[in-house]
């Protein structure tokens, strides 16, 4: 999927500057790390001193309304806060024996900041709340601003820290003068010096240098990759992990920013039941807008103020049939606030949706993934089945097999089947409303803010599915598309109007317009009798503002039926039909070139201009809605077709920001994002192009690029291509240090994990996949998070267009490798019974779905099934009982049971040092906080010898065989095709080796 350099669309610099400002809060945030120092444990306290930032509120008074954990709330409006220092108020409250408090803030007259309806969860000690961000330090502590040494041997260090690449709103300096002690974590608060810079001066006493690390007050650290910073006395700057001494004040000569942004305009509010989606046109500012402040009034709960980082705001959980009013203000980095926008009002009229879920928030490496095409898995409600315009042509009608057949109700009904196989995560195809002639798969998104009605039923909405899965301890990973929409555009952003003549030739295709009907994929329009009605998409009269060339003129060509074809009769990127601010305007030419990221892949995939602020905000706002519903992660479709700079600047930070704000930092850390970076070759780097290789997307940028995202994409592409494969970052995060697990360094992690395309391409046999996979592991940020599968809804191994047909023994061997090697094992629906093996995966409407790899699976699931635990079925009747008796199912259940029992197989690093054997390795996972230490020796199919291993007692999880190692060596005979051995070191206590796990099956014995 490629494109040429000169075709990448460019938007005006003014628009780019506005986008850079308004999305400033979405700068990449490094993952949590601990400073490379001994950090004292916090002592137990029963008071909290809460500081609240006032500059962007400007309320006449400030009140803290709170409830100690487990205790009652204060009487409204709470307790009055007192002045602390410039732009801050504070209040110290007693918590008794409670270890935290829930808090909200208000002006005493009904205006509230309640963290977008979630309240603030605060701990003890010193706490700051600044524009929705909670941190831990005293913002009013003496800053010691004199940068000069004091006579008498006292020395001072003045530090300026650049926040341009970390995006922190709160920054702390944690330091240790040479020969002295470290400050208490998180250190001392830094203050804003100017745009992009924080400052702090500290007294070094008799020392002339100090060790230092920086953090955001919430456990996210910059500790120079574990080495800390050495900072001398005098004035120093720390920028992009480099210390510059004697450079002076970076803010010298920059006048104070006193100019407020312009007011937001074109504010619109659309109701969807008891949810409202608010959007507006970006404001402008001389130095850039950093956030927006949304004030809601109406309802019985009073006014609410919320800070957001984009120009779309989703508000949920509102009261039914109630008028609300929203105004928006823009805020810049200096805290200047614009005048309010005009009010936008709307009314919710639909019944309340199910209560939103909460992501399970556990390490995603613990959860094997089962991948389903929802519309082809199980039919729980036949009333939402739809065949579409291609029902007869495809041959589906003759088979009574409409393309939209499975649904959420069917999936809910069969969650116990998936759990009984042993899977604890379900990857589902996109849920947004689709629109094309053959859109059952979900990748032709039309309304990204609505769930496709063909998937939902009464009592089985998407929210119901999420909640039902969570109730069973199972995660939902939602497939999402940022790269493209349907050929009919994206509702709410841009939809094209095509030309159509409703004559004898074309009346079968173009439907008579019905002004009172809105397409939802399910409802049947009365005039046409179609659910795939298109009367809203065309016009016989040229629309105002049309840009499509030669509107309505005959092309001189005819259709396959012999009908006269007109210009602008079909959406096209090269006709001028799609504005460049929203869509790219070219067809792809080179799949490994730059045009793969700025051109259309197919006529059904209109390519978003993802470097444009309106598109970015549309998509961020849409996917915020699904994050709020409690999904556990996103699988990102066609990730390689968007520049890494755009991911790293915009979309990935937006996901982290939303999950953090809704569910907390720990949930954000474990919100699993994995991208499809299609690299369909067998080498480490995709045809030598780093920009088109999967591992490239797991890294942050290594330098700054132009503020304009389109220009930045080109700059990054050229820079990295010239550096080439030999100059890319490397990582030891997946590898043991001898026999020792080491804390991984995720400081340069982009936020996107990836599907292991190299293993996928080489799964013609397991040994080949293993050899190729480990060869690439030093180039990923952390390959233990790679998603590993044999085949999928797109391809089999070696870019085969058929589902895998290597045979049952080969499948068993593949599974044994996937479930014990690094990465997260993933199975495409039905592979547990070799469903549709060797069948063409997808042939579009040219053949019935029943003959393809996307056939309906529900016939194999008929009957009832109940799972008592993961991999454990307590009862099953009917056809599903026969399915569960298949040999690969038994193999899969035991593999899942063993993997779930041995932490090293889930999250461990690995090594082949000192090991002989075709597929043999050792894995270890250690976690000091939980006391887990798990060490395992694995061999798949063949014999292995392990040298240099720790002495001790090892027990095999497959056979229960016990070996005592006294000379650091263990030899294991070949277990046989598809079989394996997992010798676990017995470390006693909670780390005792489990011995034999499960019962013998057709392969594991």
């Amino acid at each position: 999927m490629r494109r040429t350099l000169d075709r990448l669309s460019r938007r005006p610099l003014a628009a780019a500057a506005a986008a850079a400002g308004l999305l400033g809060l979405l700068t990449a945030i490094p993952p949590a790390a601990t400073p490379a120092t001994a950090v004292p444990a916090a002592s137990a306290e029963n008071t909290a001193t809460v500081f609240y930032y006032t500059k962007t509120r400007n309320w006449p008074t400030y009140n803290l309304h709170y409830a100690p954990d487990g205790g009652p709330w204060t009487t409204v409006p709470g307790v009055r806060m007192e002045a602390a220092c410039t732009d801050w108020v504070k209040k110290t409250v007693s918590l008794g024996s409670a270890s935290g408090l829930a808090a909200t803030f208000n002006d005493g007259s009904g205006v509230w900041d309640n963290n977008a309806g979630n309240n603030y969860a605060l701990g003890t000690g010193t706490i700051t709340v600044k524009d929705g961000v909670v941190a831990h330090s005293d913002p009013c502590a003496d800053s010691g601003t004199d940068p000069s040494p004091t006579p008498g041997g006292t020395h001072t260090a003045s530090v300026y820290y650049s926040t341009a690449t970390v995006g922190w709103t709160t920054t702390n300096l944690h330091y240790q003068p040479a020969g002295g002690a470290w400050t208490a974590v998180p250190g001392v608060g830094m203050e804003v010096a100017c745009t992009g810079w924080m400052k702090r001066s500290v007294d070094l006493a008799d020392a002339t240098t100090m060790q230092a690390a920086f953090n955001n007050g919430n456990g996210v650290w910059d500790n120079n990759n574990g080495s800390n910073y050495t900072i001398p006395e005098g004035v120093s700057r720390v920028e992009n992990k480099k210390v510059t001494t004697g450079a002076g004040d970076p803010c010298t000569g920059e006048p104070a920013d006193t100019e407020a942004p312009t007011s937001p305009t074109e504010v619109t509010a659309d109701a969807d039941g008891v949810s409202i989606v608010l959007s507006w046109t970006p404001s402008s500012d001389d130095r850039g807008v950093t956030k927006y402040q949304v004030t809601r009034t109406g309802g019985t709960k009073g006014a609410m103020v919320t800070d957001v980082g984009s120009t779309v705001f989703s508000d949920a959980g509102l009261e039914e049939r109630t008028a609300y009013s929203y105004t928006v203000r823009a805020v810049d980095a200096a805290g200047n606030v614009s005048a309010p926008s005009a009010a936008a009002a709307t009314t919710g009229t639909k019944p309340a949706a199910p209560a939103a879920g909460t992501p399970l928030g556990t390490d995603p490496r613990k959860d094997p993934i089962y991948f389903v095409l929802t519309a082809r898995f199980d039919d729980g409600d036949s009333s939402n089945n739809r065949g579409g315009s291609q029902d007869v042509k495809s041959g589906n009608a003759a088979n009574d097999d409409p393309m939209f057949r499975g649904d959420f109700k069917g999936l809910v009904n069969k969650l116990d089947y998936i759990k009984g196989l042993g899977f604890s995560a379900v990857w589902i195809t996109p849920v947004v409303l689709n629109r094309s002639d053959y859109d059952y798969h979900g990748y032709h998104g039309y309304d990204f803010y609505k769930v496709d009605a063909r998937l939902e039923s009464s009592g089985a909405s998407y929210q119901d599915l999420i909640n039902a899965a969570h109730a069973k301890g199972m995660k939902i990973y939602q497939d999402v598309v940022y790269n493209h929409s349907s050929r009919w555009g994206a509702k709410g952003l841009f939809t094209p109007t095509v030309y159509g003549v409703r004559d004898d030739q074309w009346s079968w295709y173009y439907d008579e317009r019905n002004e009172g009907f809105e397409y939802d994929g399910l409802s049947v329009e009365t005039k046409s009798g179609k659910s795939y009605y298109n009367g809203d998409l065309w016009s016989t009269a040229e629309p105002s503002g049309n840009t499509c060339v030669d509107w309505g003129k005959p092309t001189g060509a005819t259709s396959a039926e012999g009908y006269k074809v007109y210009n602008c009769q079909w959406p096209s990127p090269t006709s001028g039909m799609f504005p460049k601010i929203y869509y790219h305007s070219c067809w792809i030419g080179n799949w490994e070139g730059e045009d793969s990221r700025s051109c259309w892949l197919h006529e059904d995939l209109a390519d978003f201009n993802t470097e444009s602020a309106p598109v970015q905000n549309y998509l961020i706002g849409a996917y915020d809605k699904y994050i709020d519903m409690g999904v556990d992660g996103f699988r990102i479709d066609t990730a390689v077709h968007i520049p890494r700079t755009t991911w790293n600047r915009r979309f990935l930070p937006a996901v982290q920001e939303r999950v953090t704000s809704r569910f907390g930092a720990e949930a954000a850390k474990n919100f699993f994002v994995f991208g499809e970076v299609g690299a369909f070759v067998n080498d480490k780097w995709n045809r030598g192009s780093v920009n088109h290789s999967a591992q490239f997307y797991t890294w942050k940028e290594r330098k700054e690029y132009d503020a304009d995202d389109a220009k930045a994409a080109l700059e990054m592409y050229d820079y990295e291509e010239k550096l080439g494969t030999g100059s890319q970052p490397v990582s030891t995060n997946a590898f043991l240090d001898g026999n020792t697990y080491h804390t991984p360094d995720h400081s340069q992690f982009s936020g996107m994990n990836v599907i292991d395309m190299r293993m996928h391409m080489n799964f013609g046999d397991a040994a080949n996949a293993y050899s190729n996979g480990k060869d690439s592991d030093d180039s990923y940020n952390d390959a233990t998070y790679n998603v590993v599968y044999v085949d999928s809804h797109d391809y089999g191994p070696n870019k085969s267009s058929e589902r895998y047909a290597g045979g049952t023994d080969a499948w068993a061997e593949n599974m044994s490798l996937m479930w014990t090697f690094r990465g997260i094992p993933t199975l495409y629906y039905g592979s547990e019974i070799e469903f549709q093996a060797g069948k063409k995966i997808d042939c579009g409407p040219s053949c019935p779905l029943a003959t393809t790899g996307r056939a309906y699976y529900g016939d194999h699931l008929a009957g009832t099934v109940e799972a008592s635990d993961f991999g454990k079925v307590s009862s099953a009747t009917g056809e599903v009982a026969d399915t569960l008796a298949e040999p690969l199912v038994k193999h899969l259940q035991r593999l899942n049971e063993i993997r779930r029992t041995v932490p090293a197989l889930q999250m461990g690093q690995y090594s082949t040092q000192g090991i002989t054997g075709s597929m043999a390795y050792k894995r270890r996972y250690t976690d000091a906080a939980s006391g887990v230490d798990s060490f395992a020796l694995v061999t798949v199919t063949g014999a292995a010898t392990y040298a240099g291993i720790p002495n001790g007692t090892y027990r095999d999880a497959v056979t229960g065989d016990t070996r005592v190692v006294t000379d650091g060596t263990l030899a294991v005979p070949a277990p046989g095709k598809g079989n394996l051995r997992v010798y676990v070191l017995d470390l006693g206590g909670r780390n005792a080796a489990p011995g034999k796990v499960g019962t013998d099956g057709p392969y594991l014995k």
Side-chain angles (χ1 to χ4, degrees):
M1 305 158 190
R2 349 279 139 159
R3 13 170 150 162
T4 55
L5 293 173
D6 60 338
R7 290 183 181 176
L8 188 66
S9 62
R10 292 162 170 78
R11 53 193 171 85
L13 186 59
L22 70 92
L23 291 169
L25 282 189
L26 305 184
T27 308
I29 298 175
T34 304
T37 60
V39 179
S43 59
E45 298 183 38
N46 61 352
T47 63
T49 300
V50 182
F51 289 83
Y52 187 74
Y53 190 63
T54 64
K55 185 171 184 178
T56 54
R57 295 290 183 256
N58 197 29
W59 293 343
T61 60
Y62 295 83
N63 298 290
L64 169 63
H65 179 48
Y66 71 97
D69 291 349
W73 283 87
T74 55
T75 302
V76 174
V79 294
R80 180 72 62 89
M81 304 186 77
E82 61 198 44
C85 57
T86 303
D87 298 329
W88 291 93
V89 293
K90 70 176 182 178
K91 186 67 179 180
T92 300
V93 296
S94 174
L95 302 178
S97 60
S99 58
L101 69 156
T104 63
F105 304 87
N106 65 86
D107 69 347
S109 299
V111 178
W112 291 83
D113 171 10
N114 61 4
N115 192 25
N118 295 318
N119 300 329
Y120 290 96
L122 308 180
T124 58
T126 302
I127 305 162
T128 62
V129 180
K130 181 181 181 183
D131 294 336
V133 177
V134 177
H136 300 79
S137 59
D138 184 347
C140 301
D142 180 17
S143 61
T145 56
D146 182 3
S148 304
T150 301
T154 300
H155 301 272
T156 301
S158 294
V159 185
Y160 288 86
Y161 181 75
S162 171
T163 59
T165 58
V166 296
W168 297 342
T169 59
T170 299
T171 304
N172 298 301
L173 168 64
H174 180 50
Y175 69 96
Q176 177 195 43
W182 282 90
T183 54
V185 172
V188 295
M190 304 185 77
E191 59 190 41
V192 176
C194 60
T195 303
W197 288 94
M198 306 292 284
K199 68 179 180 180
R200 182 74 194 218
S201 294
V202 297
D203 184 359
L204 300 180
D206 293 328
T208 58
T209 64
M210 67 176 177
Q211 293 287 298
F214 304 87
N215 65 85
N216 72 345
N218 276 332
V220 179
W221 288 84
D222 172 8
N223 59 9
N224 195 20
N225 293 332
S227 301
N228 298 326
Y229 292 96
T230 299
I231 298 175
E233 65 177 313
V235 180
S236 301
R237 301 182 190 177
V238 180
E239 184 176 16
N240 291 331
K241 301 195 180 301
K242 179 182 178 182
V243 177
T244 304
T245 60
D249 183 347
C251 303
T252 300
E254 180 177 323
D257 183 4
T258 59
E259 182 178 334
T262 61
S263 297
T265 58
E266 299 181 29
V267 181
T268 60
D270 295 320
D272 179 11
V274 291
S275 297
I276 289 174
V277 177
L278 195 73
S279 62
W280 57 91
T281 299
S283 298
S284 60
D285 184 72
D286 59 334
R287 301 188 190 180
V289 175
T290 58
K291 62 168 69 76
Y292 291 90
Q293 187 183 95
V294 179
T295 301
R296 183 194 78 199
T297 59
T300 62
K301 298 178 181 179
M304 183 186 76
V305 179
T306 305
D307 297 290
V308 298
S310 68
T311 58
V312 178
F313 172 63
S314 301
D315 200 6
L318 302 174
E319 297 167 68
E320 294 182 57
R321 300 174 182 84
T322 303
Y324 290 92
S325 178
Y326 295 82
T327 56
V328 187
R329 296 174 182 257
V331 183
D332 64 19
N336 298 311
V337 182
S338 76
S341 68
T346 189
T347 303
T349 58
K350 296 180 182 178
T358 300
L360 296 184
T362 53
D363 192 314
R365 294 172 296 179
K366 295 181 177 181
D367 302 300
I369 302 170
Y370 192 76
F371 171 35
V372 302
L373 267 71
T374 309
R376 306 302 299 159
F377 185 64
D378 188 70
D379 188 8
D381 178 6
S382 61
S383 69
N384 59 13
N385 293 359
R386 292 293 181 270
S389 66
Q390 302 299 301
D391 197 35
V392 174
K393 178 181 178 181
S394 65
N396 289 334
N399 291 335
D400 192 22
D401 183 30
M403 60 173 183
F404 268 93
R405 187 173 179 184
D407 46 39
F408 293 146
K409 188 171 184 178
L411 189 49
V412 168
N413 290 343
K414 301 305 178 184
L415 284 175
D416 268 28
Y417 169 76
I418 299 171
K419 184 172 183 176
L421 295 177
F423 292 94
S424 48
V426 185
W427 158 16
I428 61 173
T429 39
V431 304
V432 304
L433 177 61
N434 266 230
R435 193 164 196 177
S436 80
D437 291 329
Y438 216 55
D439 56 10
Y440 63 95
H441 42 66
Y443 298 100
H444 296 163
Y446 173 68
D447 189 339
F448 286 68
Y449 285 79
K450 282 190 177 181
V451 175
D452 201 305
R454 292 167 288 189
L455 298 175
E456 294 195 301
S457 308
S458 176
S461 67
Y462 185 36
Q463 186 68 71
D464 290 322
L465 168 63
I466 295 168
N467 295 350
H470 287 173
K472 294 180 182 295
M474 303 169 70
K475 295 180 178 179
I476 294 293
Y477 295 151
Q478 179 178 331
D479 209 322
V480 296
V481 185
Y482 288 78
N483 175 67
H484 57 263
S485 71
S486 74
R487 65 172 178 260
W488 301 114
K491 184 181 178 184
L493 181 72
F494 175 78
T495 55
T497 301
V498 300
Y499 181 81
V501 176
R502 292 197 76 249
D503 56 14
D504 292 340
Q505 293 184 344
W506 287 107
S507 60
W508 66 273
Y509 186 78
Y510 294 108
D511 301 322
E512 182 182 351
R513 185 180 297 274
N514 183 342
E515 298 293 349
F517 183 80
E518 182 177 1
Y519 168 85
D520 64 9
L522 178 69
S523 300
V524 175
E525 192 274 319
T526 54
K527 293 182 180 180
S528 66
K530 300 175 181 177
S531 62
Y532 50 94
Y533 156 87
N534 63 15
D536 58 331
L537 300 174
W538 64 272
S539 173
T540 55
E542 186 170 3
S544 175
N546 168 60
T547 55
C548 189
V549 178
D550 293 329
W551 172 272
K553 296 179 181 178
T555 65
T558 57
S559 71
E561 300 88 351
Y563 302 158
K564 183 184 295 185
V565 175
Y566 300 87
N567 282 302
C568 309
Q569 197 170 7
W570 190 261
S572 164
T574 56
S575 64
M577 188 177 293
F578 289 81
K580 292 183 178 181
I581 190 67
Y582 303 120
Y583 286 91
H584 291 133
S585 56
C586 51
W587 291 107
I588 193 171
N590 176 4
W591 291 90
E592 265 82 39
E594 177 53 30
D595 67 320
S596 69
R597 296 189 282 186
S598 58
C599 297
W600 288 36
L601 310 180
H602 186 271
E603 63 186 2
D604 273 331
L605 309 177
D607 198 79
F608 280 133
N609 178 1
T610 50
E611 293 72 62
S612 163
V615 174
Q616 292 168 353
N617 291 320
Y618 176 83
L619 293 169
I620 289 169
Y623 291 128
D624 279 352
K625 170 178 177 176
Y626 304 106
I627 290 172
D628 292 352
M629 294 173 76
V631 297
D632 301 277
F634 286 160
R635 180 268 187 181
I636 298 177
D637 180 72
T638 49
V640 71
H641 303 296
I642 295 175
R644 188 178 74 175
T645 47
T646 305
W647 286 117
N648 285 346
R649 285 181 174 188
R650 309 302 179 203
F651 296 133
L652 295 173
V655 170
Q656 281 291 300
E657 180 187 67
R658 188 66 171 197
V659 180
T660 300
S661 68
R662 296 290 291 182
F663 305 111
E666 187 67 17
K669 175 185 174 184
N670 290 317
F671 188 90
F672 190 45
V673 176
F674 59 105
E676 176 208 23
V677 181
F680 303 109
V681 293
N682 294 329
D683 48 2
K684 181 173 182 176
W685 296 96
N686 186 6
R687 305 183 197 276
S689 172
V690 296
N691 280 277
H692 296 87
S693 301
Q695 56 268 48
F696 183 73
Y697 280 75
T698 66
W699 296 94
K700 289 182 178 179
E701 305 307 331
R702 295 188 280 173
K703 66 186 297 290
E704 289 293 317
Y705 301 105
D706 196 283
D708 181 285
D709 285 350
K711 292 179 180 179
L714 292 172
E715 289 178 2
M716 185 275 292
Y717 183 90
D718 289 340
Y719 176 75
E720 295 289 357
E721 287 296 284
K722 288 174 183 176
L723 284 179
T725 60
S727 298
Q728 294 303 307
V730 294
S731 167
T732 61
N733 286 338
F735 306 117
L736 292 173
D737 183 4
N739 295 311
T740 304
Y741 179 87
H742 63 92
T743 302
D745 176 9
H746 293 149
S747 61
Q748 296 305 306
F749 175 51
S750 66
M752 184 190 295
N753 300 287
V754 291
I755 294 167
D756 197 316
M757 297 303 294
R758 194 172 180 196
M759 288 193 73
H760 165 50
M761 284 291 99
N762 286 280
F763 253 119
D765 68 84
N768 195 42
Y770 167 68
S771 176
N772 277 272
K774 67 180 182 177
D775 178 54
S776 299
D777 283 355
D778 64 339
S779 58
Y780 297 97
N781 182 269
D782 191 341
T784 67
Y785 289 87
N786 284 13
V787 169
V788 181
Y789 58 59
V790 174
D791 62 358
S792 72
H793 59 326
D794 288 325
Y795 294 107
N798 300 311
K799 206 177 181 180
S800 166
S801 60
E802 289 83 34
R803 288 192 72 156
Y804 182 74
T808 309
D809 289 354
W811 252 123
E813 186 176 52
N814 289 341
M815 290 177 180
S816 291
L817 174 65
M818 293 162 64
W819 262 256
T820 57
F821 189 44
R822 61 96 187 112
I824 302 171
T826 300
L827 198 72
Y828 184 41
Y829 81 100
S831 291
E832 63 272 23
I833 61 169
E834 298 176 85
F835 180 61
Q836 300 294 90
K839 297 294 180 65
K840 192 174 184 64
I841 293 172
D842 175 33
C843 58
S846 64
C847 65
L849 281 168
T851 66
T852 72
R854 297 178 177 180
Y856 176 66
Y857 191 59
D859 293 338
H860 297 275
L861 303 176
T864 64
V865 56
E866 291 186 11
S868 58
D869 202 349
F870 293 104
K872 303 279 189 182
V873 175
S874 56
S875 66
T877 64
E879 187 65 30
V880 71
D882 295 335
T883 299
L884 288 165
E886 290 288 328
L888 282 179
V889 169
K890 297 300 183 185
H891 184 58
L892 189 62
Q893 288 173 317
R894 193 169 182 209
L895 282 172
N896 272 316
E897 192 175 0
I898 291 171
R899 188 179 190 272
R900 196 170 293 277
T901 303
V902 183
L905 302 183
Q906 303 168 32
M907 300 166 288
Q909 295 163 342
Y910 78 96
S911 173
T912 59
Q913 181 181 353
I915 302 175
T916 61
S918 174
M919 290 183 284
Y921 35 91
K922 53 187 174 183
R923 298 191 65 186
R924 190 169 206 153
Y925 176 72
T926 304
D927 180 35
S930 63
V932 171
D933 187 3
S934 175
F935 183 77
L937 308 174
V938 180
T939 184
V940 179
T941 299
T945 300
Y946 306 85
I949 60 174
N951 290 332
T953 300
Y954 291 79
R955 292 186 173 87
D956 179 21
V958 178
T959 65
D961 180 47
T962 299
R963 304 282 191 93
V964 178
V965 174
T966 59
D967 61 354
T969 302
L970 177 64
V972 179
K977 182 84 168 181
N979 202 350
L980 78 156
R981 297 289 180 258
V982 182
Y983 280 90
V984 181
L985 177 60
D986 193 331
L987 294 170
R990 66 175 302 167
N991 295 311
K996 184 175 182 178
V997 177
T999 57
D1000 289 350
Y1003 291 97
L1004 296 183
K1005 53 189 176 182

